[in-house]
Amino acid sequence: MKKKTSLKDIAAVVGVSTALVSYVLNNKKEGRIRKEVAEKIRQVALKLDYHPNQIAKSLKTNRTNTLGLIVADISNPFSSALARIIEDEAERQGYTVIYGSSDENATKCGRLIETLLNRQVDGLIIFPPEGTEDQIKRLKKRQIPFVLVDRYFPGIDTNYVSLDNYAASFAASQHLVEVGRKRIGMITYKSSLVHLLERKRGYLGALKHSGRNFRKHLLKEVSISNDVVEIETAVRSMLSSTGRADAILFGSNRIAATALKYISSLPVLVPQQLALVGFDESEIFDFFRSPLTFIRQPLAEMGRIATCMVIEQPGTQKKTRQVQLAAELIIRQSSATE
Amino acid sequence: MKKKTSLKDIAAVVGVSTALVSYVLNNKKEGRIRKEVAEKIRQVALKLDYHPNQIAKSLKTNRTNTLGLIVADISNPFSSALARIIEDEAERQGYTVIYGSSDENATKCGRLIETLLNRQVDGLIIFPPEGTEDQIKRLKKRQIPFVLVDRYFPGIDTNYVSLDNYAASFAASQHLVEVGRKRIGMITYKSSLVHLLERKRGYLGALKHSGRNFRKHLLKEVSISNDVVEIETAVRSMLSSTGRADAILFGSNRIAATALKYISSLPVLVPQQLALVGFDESEIFDFFRSPLTFIRQPLAEMGRIATCMVIEQPGTQKKTRQVQLAAELIIRQSSATE
DNA sequence: CTGAAAGCGCTTACAG
DNA sequence: CTGAAAGCGCTTACAG
């Protein structure tokens, strides 16, 4: 790379100090600098194609105007949709974003946090994986501005933006009850992450509320690694047992994708024999033989609020803010009344 | 944020110069520093929870170990899949990545390049939108290490990694000929971007090669903004005219997604009356009533090569490298023999 | 009103 | 062998 032109170069040409150049180019001491000098400086800056070195500026000001984003996996549509919203909102406020994928792995998340912090990001937006409580506590203690998205830890008082997963899951299950389903099942992740626990709790709550019995074999918890065989096995056993499911709620769009592919290959009628509801959105929901009923998360709002929270957060730790957003149940053919 | 501990703090505690601390912590003058001093420094660093400030380091070394990535839209699966591969490869080599979405807009791309450069990225990986020739030339002149991905400009000698789009499109069209299709259509983008021109050229080439006539009404070029109505209109007119299409090749996964949704609503049999082939991958291809035949791009290779190219590129401009990767045609039901 | 000097947190050529 | 000094490219409190 060719050497870039610096304040010093401009100062040398014009015959003033770098300080003066800095003032002029940042419009700092408006009017208090001689017109001709200011004009000359601007001209030379243009001619030498000057572009400020943000790194140097950051070292001095201790602000990088950079946000660190740690998602589960940038190639997952849920993550990348949020990444796009965060990018746009960050740009609007003059920030750029560095990203990393945790793969739901606590160790990798820890490494990522360290890397981003070493790069002096002004704040962190994190989808925390299971087992990262200590990392989050440490961030708090170090007074790093950050906000948790999608999930959070009830035991730690932090900023977060999340869906009201309990209500969303309750509403979806309730809907299945209302369309006359008797044996409603759920496939979700085996995890201690609160958003997933809430989804399970919402499902159980709705069953109880409507006097349905909870049947152990209709609640399947699969590994968060999204193992295809495990999900197919779960579907198969829910549909083969004596009290076979007549409805299934999927705990995530990844689970739904795998399960739907498998169900497509089975001789089961949707929704007649089996009603289905998905969590999150996915283009494939439109292409399943009966377009899927699903729980829509307000991603735009979620991303925007998270970005604003972490940027606005003042140097001095004010009190934390928790936001729970409401989901919307989009009812379509896969859960139509029989 | 609390003040972080710096080399100075450690030096003060131990009673040595910051230089010495730097040497020890970077294992620079191994053995040439007294054991006890080195040990003491390491201990204090640990106790004070020292983490090097990459910003300061960067200012001095003129390297940030950061890559700038400009995709079309991070929320598009094609972009985000590549973003993930680039992230992984960059991490392996000790780099992090800043991203931005151009939305296929030249002005936005220019702004993005400036922003990333001001942040002193060590290199740029770019999906250049239409009309960015001057920006790319400028990058070359400034001797910024960069690599173009997916598309490139034939008139500018740069590094790039792209698909052999001509061959891919030729093979797909040829395949449709071989399964007995007579009136093969294509819906692609109206664009001067070389990868899209090549796709069109491959289609036309295959027709010619097999003695098929090119029929103007069977080649539809739609706006790159992916307008739903425009794509639906294209499909409708290809299927309604007298010489109606009995096969369609889609020029991108976005076009395919919209077209497939529309075709699903029509009383047309796939593949009996209409064979279909898509470009790129998409989960929805599996869910269309006849799983779609598609052209698979070697994304992993593409991302990896691009990342290595931009990192390896030496300070002194060596000669550029161009890579064209071969696609794979995945044949499935949507183009099965009648 | 104007601008020289100090310093952000590092690295490393160079002097002793 | 050991380590003090200079400097990367900026900003801004402060002196004149």
Side-chain angles (χ1 to χ4, degrees):
Chain A
M1 271 199 269
K2 229 187 273 184
K3 189 159 165 335
K4 308 219 179 95
T5 102
S6 70
L7 285 189
K8 215 178 179 178
D9 301 322
I10 301 175
V13 172
V14 182
V16 295
S17 70
T18 60
L20 195 45
V21 179
S22 169
Y23 286 135
V24 170
L25 263 22
N26 290 301
N27 302 310
K28 271 295 168 55
K29 304 209 169 178
E30 300 263 22
R32 285 184 268 165
I33 290 164
R34 268 173 304 160
K35 276 262 167 55
E36 317 86 72
V37 178
E39 194 45 44
K40 177 81 177 155
I41 288 172
R42 274 185 244 275
Q43 273 175 20
V44 174
L46 209 65
K47 202 177 68 192
L48 297 185
D49 194 27
Y50 173 73
H51 292 281
N53 179 332
Q54 293 296 335
I55 293 288
K57 189 180 223 162
S58 293
L59 182 58
K60 187 64 188 168
T61 61
N62 214 17
R63 304 189 61 249
T64 53
N65 278 267
T66 303
L67 259 28
L69 171 65
I70 300 177
V71 293
D73 174 7
I74 194 75
S75 70
N76 174 311
F78 181 75
S79 293
S80 67
L82 232 16
R84 184 42 153 54
I85 295 157
I86 289 168
E87 174 196 343
D88 288 347
E89 185 59 35
E91 201 224 334
R92 195 166 305 128
Q93 308 211 31
Y95 284 73
T96 48
V97 6
I98 312 186
Y99 73 92
S101 305
S102 76
D103 289 322
E104 299 289 1
N105 176 316
T107 311
K108 189 158 184 225
C109 181
R111 251 200 343 258
L112 242 23
I113 290 179
E114 241 12 279
T115 304
L116 298 180
L117 251 27
N118 290 351
R119 282 164 200 274
Q120 316 299 119
V121 294
D122 291 336
L124 249 16
I125 299 175
I126 307 175
F127 292 50
E130 214 172 352
T132 52
E133 287 86 342
D134 288 347
Q135 294 170 21
I136 301 302
K137 275 185 198 152
R138 199 127 173 293
L139 243 30
K140 239 194 101 150
K141 197 153 59 188
R142 291 211 254 169
Q143 300 188 35
I144 312 284
F146 71 94
V147 54
L148 269 22
V149 180
D150 192 36
R151 349 26 208 289
Y152 59 94
F153 299 111
I156 316 178
D157 178 45
T158 67
N159 288 305
Y160 70 76
V161 188
S162 130
L163 192 74
D164 185 341
N165 283 284
Y166 176 81
S169 187
F170 189 101
S173 309
Q174 181 71 24
H175 162 67
L176 288 168
V177 168
E178 280 162 11
V179 295
R181 301 300 158 157
K182 306 298 180 200
R183 294 175 308 283
I184 301 168
M186 178 177 195
I187 306 180
T188 186
Y189 293 123
K190 185 192 342 279
S191 165
S192 67
L193 285 169
V194 77
H195 70 303
L196 295 171
L197 293 177
E198 288 291 283
R199 288 179 192 183
K200 186 163 73 177
R201 207 166 66 78
Y203 160 74
L204 295 172
L207 289 191
K208 195 168 179 190
H209 178 76
S210 60
R212 294 282 190 285
N213 285 328
F214 164 60
R215 298 158 204 245
K216 198 155 186 294
H217 74 284
L218 290 184
L219 174 61
K220 298 288 181 192
E221 300 186 80
V222 301
S223 146
I224 206 158
S225 65
N226 256 306
D227 183 66
V228 172
V229 174
E230 198 181 354
I231 293 171
E232 291 184 355
T233 305
V235 173
R236 196 177 318 119
S237 86
M238 288 168 85
L239 295 182
S240 68
S241 48
T242 43
R244 60 182 284 168
D246 60 6
I248 303 180
L249 170 61
F250 301 118
S252 87
N253 61 353
R254 303 303 309 152
I255 293 175
T258 304
L260 289 179
K261 226 172 266 188
Y262 180 61
I263 291 172
S264 289
S265 72
L266 300 177
V268 54
L269 293 175
V270 176
Q272 294 84 340
Q273 300 175 311
L274 183 65
L276 298 173
V277 176
F279 223 104
D280 305 334
E281 263 168 281
S282 171
E283 272 202 306
I284 65 171
F285 290 177
D286 298 345
F287 279 87
F288 188 67
R289 29 184 210 236
S290 306
L292 221 69
T293 293
F294 65 94
I295 294 165
R296 172 181 289 160
Q297 300 208 35
L299 293 185
E301 225 183 319
M302 200 176 267
R304 224 162 20 225
I305 293 177
T307 311
C308 290
M309 264 188 180
V310 72
I311 290 177
E312 285 165 11
Q313 200 167 325
T316 57
Q317 192 91 343
K318 260 204 316 204
K319 54 177 171 307
T320 58
R321 285 179 55 204
Q322 284 85 31
V323 177
Q324 300 245 66
L325 265 19
E328 188 184 356
L329 184 66
I330 309 293
I331 298 172
R332 301 197 295 180
Q333 219 184 313
S334 76
S335 66
T337 317
E338 299 173 73
Chain B
M1 273 198 269
K2 229 188 272 185
K3 191 161 165 334
K4 308 220 179 95
T5 101
S6 70
L7 285 189
K8 214 178 177 181
D9 301 323
I10 301 176
V13 172
V14 182
V16 295
S17 72
T18 59
L20 196 46
V21 179
S22 170
Y23 286 135
V24 171
L25 264 21
N26 290 302
N27 302 310
K28 272 295 167 56
K29 305 210 167 175
E30 300 264 24
R32 285 184 267 164
I33 289 164
R34 269 173 304 162
K35 277 262 168 55
E36 317 87 72
V37 178
E39 194 45 44
K40 178 79 179 158
I41 287 173
R42 274 185 245 277
Q43 273 175 19
V44 174
L46 209 65
K47 203 177 69 190
L48 295 185
D49 193 28
Y50 173 73
H51 293 281
N53 180 332
Q54 294 296 337
I55 294 288
K57 190 180 224 161
S58 294
L59 182 58
K60 187 64 189 166
T61 61
N62 213 18
R63 302 188 62 250
T64 54
N65 277 267
T66 303
L67 259 28
L69 170 65
I70 301 179
V71 294
D73 174 7
I74 193 75
S75 70
N76 174 312
F78 180 75
S79 293
S80 68
L82 232 16
R84 184 56 205 292
I85 294 156
I86 290 168
E87 174 196 343
D88 288 347
E89 185 59 34
E91 201 224 334
R92 194 166 305 128
Q93 308 211 31
Y95 284 73
T96 48
V97 7
I98 312 185
Y99 73 91
S101 306
S102 77
D103 289 321
E104 299 290 1
N105 177 318
T107 312
K108 187 155 185 227
C109 181
R111 248 196 351 252
L112 241 24
I113 290 179
E114 241 11 279
T115 304
L116 297 180
L117 251 27
N118 290 350
R119 283 164 200 273
Q120 314 300 119
V121 294
D122 291 337
L124 249 16
I125 299 175
I126 307 177
F127 293 49
E130 214 171 350
T132 53
E133 287 86 343
D134 288 347
Q135 294 170 22
I136 301 302
K137 277 185 198 153
R138 199 127 173 293
L139 243 30
K140 239 193 102 150
K141 197 154 60 188
R142 291 213 254 170
Q143 300 189 35
I144 311 284
F146 71 94
V147 54
L148 269 24
V149 180
D150 192 37
R151 347 30 205 290
Y152 59 94
F153 299 110
I156 316 178
D157 178 45
T158 67
N159 287 304
Y160 69 76
V161 188
S162 128
L163 192 75
D164 185 342
N165 284 285
Y166 176 80
S169 187
F170 188 99
S173 308
Q174 182 70 24
H175 162 68
L176 288 169
V177 168
E178 279 161 13
V179 296
R181 301 299 159 157
K182 306 297 181 201
R183 295 175 307 282
I184 301 168
M186 178 175 195
I187 306 181
T188 185
Y189 293 122
K190 184 192 344 280
S191 165
S192 67
L193 286 170
V194 78
H195 69 305
L196 296 171
L197 292 177
E198 288 290 284
R199 290 179 191 182
K200 188 164 70 178
R201 207 166 66 79
Y203 159 76
L204 295 172
L207 288 190
K208 195 167 178 189
H209 177 77
S210 60
R212 293 281 189 285
N213 286 327
F214 164 60
R215 297 159 204 245
K216 197 152 186 296
H217 74 282
L218 290 184
L219 174 62
K220 298 288 180 192
E221 300 186 81
V222 301
S223 146
I224 206 158
S225 66
N226 256 305
D227 183 66
V228 173
V229 174
E230 198 180 353
I231 293 172
E232 291 184 354
T233 305
V235 173
R236 195 178 319 120
S237 85
M238 287 168 86
L239 295 182
S240 66
S241 48
T242 44
R244 60 182 284 168
D246 60 5
I248 302 180
L249 170 62
F250 300 117
S252 87
N253 61 354
R254 303 302 309 152
I255 292 176
T258 303
L260 289 179
K261 226 172 267 189
Y262 180 60
I263 291 172
S264 289
S265 72
L266 299 177
V268 54
L269 293 175
V270 176
Q272 294 85 339
Q273 301 175 311
L274 183 65
L276 298 174
V277 176
F279 225 108
D280 305 336
E281 263 169 282
S282 172
E283 272 201 306
I284 64 170
F285 290 178
D286 299 345
F287 279 88
F288 188 67
R289 30 184 209 233
S290 305
L292 221 70
T293 293
F294 66 94
I295 294 165
R296 173 181 287 159
Q297 301 209 34
L299 294 185
E301 225 183 318
M302 200 176 267
R304 226 165 17 227
I305 293 177
T307 311
C308 291
M309 264 189 181
V310 73
I311 291 178
E312 284 165 12
Q313 200 168 324
T316 57
Q317 192 91 341
K318 260 206 313 206
K319 53 175 170 304
T320 57
R321 286 178 54 205
Q322 284 85 31
V323 178
Q324 298 245 66
L325 266 18
E328 189 184 355
L329 185 65
I330 308 293
I331 297 173
R332 302 198 295 180
Q333 220 184 312
S334 75
S335 67
T337 318
E338 299 173 75

